[in-house]
Amino acid sequence: VNISKESLFSFLIYNKPIQYSEHITLSPVTMNDVVLFQTLSNSIILRKNSIFHEKAIIKMTYLDFLIYCFGNEELENQYKIPGLSQYLLYALQLLKLCCVDSEITISQSNRQFCINGQVIDPQTFDDLRRIIIIQNDIDFDIDEFLNHDTEKRLLKAANDQNKNQSKSNIEDYIDSLVIAMNITEDRVMNMTIRKFWRYIKRYQLHENYTILKSGECSGMVKFKEPIQHWMVSLDEDDKYK
């Protein structure tokens, strides 16, 4: 079954495991493993069709591509993608992280792997990849084609626009949420990654709304547009707007 983003959202229960099949259940990753997750997830969000020029690679399924790249340091160096030759192992470790207490085996002869006895073919791998991306709120759409050079220019423009803003790392965000919500760090670390970032965004909206509304109610400030309420959707229509 080819799972689309829309159909996945129809049965996605946030913070709850998703049973993909009789043998495979995927659980959202918590903040306890956020650093490891950020490293491993690079293996499933590479824009294969826009980065690589070889027709043979473009025609490959994503799983076949990872198998082709395994141990291929020449390709890794050619395209300057650190860790590319190990992305297959990264993907397997990522599945172990998401499929809690599952048995994942790989055949040395044909590099075919199974989860709890279920053979993972290219289509199944794409389904699991899609679920992991959405379940953990990764900013990536596997159905979207974006030219690699265009993406780099857009990201550079976004970085230039934000270069004067203060830089914050993951520890800063964790500390901030502990203080903002008046909860323990243990509670934050046991949140799913998706919920953590949604709380961060929601709190920022709440603070901005409170400040703007206070200014408007004081009579000292008047805005041309209505103030956006802090309980609006967090999903952006166009992240590059």
Side-chain angles (χ1 to χ4, degrees):
V1 177
N2 184 8
I3 296 182
S4 67
K5 183 175 181 179
E6 291 74 18
S7 63
L8 176 57
F9 269 123
S10 70
F11 71 87
L12 178 61
I13 301 177
Y14 303 124
N15 291 339
K16 299 294 184 182
I18 291 178
Q19 185 173 359
Y20 172 74
S21 69
E22 179 184 355
H23 304 284
I24 302 174
T25 299
L26 296 104
S27 299
V29 181
T30 69
M31 290 298 293
N32 285 306
D33 295 307
V34 64
V35 176
L36 176 61
F37 178 79
Q38 287 174 340
T39 299
L40 300 180
S41 62
N42 289 326
S43 64
I44 63 170
I45 59 172
L46 196 64
R47 294 193 188 277
K48 174 178 73 71
N49 294 346
S50 62
I51 294 176
F52 297 89
H53 311 305
E54 294 87 344
K55 290 182 180 179
I57 292 180
I58 294 174
K59 291 180 179 179
M60 291 177 185
T61 65
Y62 200 87
L63 178 57
D64 289 334
F65 165 70
L66 291 181
I67 294 173
Y68 174 76
C69 291
F70 183 60
N72 194 336
E73 295 183 1
E74 181 180 348
L75 189 68
E76 177 179 318
N77 294 331
Q78 178 185 348
Y79 283 93
K80 298 180 174 59
I81 303 176
L84 176 65
S85 62
Q86 300 301 311
Y87 270 13
L88 177 62
L89 295 183
Y90 282 18
L92 292 178
Q93 291 180 52
L94 181 61
L95 286 169
K96 287 183 179 179
L97 188 62
C98 298
C99 300
V100 181
D101 297 329
S102 294
E103 181 183 11
I104 300 179
T105 58
I106 184 167
S107 169
Q108 295 297 326
S109 57
N110 58 12
R111 293 179 181 170
Q112 185 181 70
F113 70 97
C114 302
I115 300 178
N116 292 332
Q118 179 174 335
V119 175
I120 306 302
D121 59 25
Q123 183 58 65
T124 301
F125 182 80
D126 279 345
D127 284 346
L128 300 181
R129 179 179 167 221
R130 191 188 305 274
I131 292 173
I132 291 171
I133 287 171
I134 297 177
Q135 193 177 35
N136 296 284
D137 203 25
I138 301 176
D139 186 15
F140 185 83
D141 184 352
I142 70 174
D143 299 316
E144 177 186 58
F145 178 86
L146 182 61
N147 181 275
H148 184 56
D149 292 334
T150 301
E151 182 180 32
K152 287 197 297 185
R153 289 196 295 270
L154 287 168
L155 291 174
K156 182 180 183 304
N159 289 333
D160 290 343
Q161 189 177 41
N162 297 326
K163 64 183 178 181
N164 293 325
Q165 296 182 5
S166 58
K167 303 296 182 182
S168 302
N169 58 32
I170 188 67
E171 185 177 14
D172 296 322
Y173 282 114
I174 291 171
D175 293 345
S176 300
L177 196 60
V178 167
I179 295 172
M181 296 182 65
N182 191 27
I183 56 179
T184 65
E185 185 169 322
D186 283 343
R187 183 175 170 188
V188 171
M189 298 308 291
N190 283 300
M191 288 180 183
T192 63
I193 294 174
R194 184 183 188 280
K195 269 301 182 184
F196 172 81
W197 288 115
R198 285 182 64 85
Y199 281 135
I200 290 288
K201 293 174 185 176
R202 185 70 68 191
Y203 185 75
Q204 290 173 334
L205 282 178
H206 179 269
E207 289 296 285
N208 289 338
Y209 175 81
T210 302
I211 292 170
L212 295 178
K213 203 65 179 175
S214 297
E216 183 181 62
C217 292
S218 71
M220 303 292 289
V221 182
K222 193 170 184 178
F223 299 99
K224 292 182 180 179
E225 301 292 335
I227 299 172
Q228 184 185 56
H229 199 273
W230 63 276
M231 287 191 287
V232 296
S233 170
L234 295 176
D235 297 321
E236 289 187 32
D237 294 329
D238 181 4
K239 66 180 178 181
Y240 292 122
K241 63 183 177 180

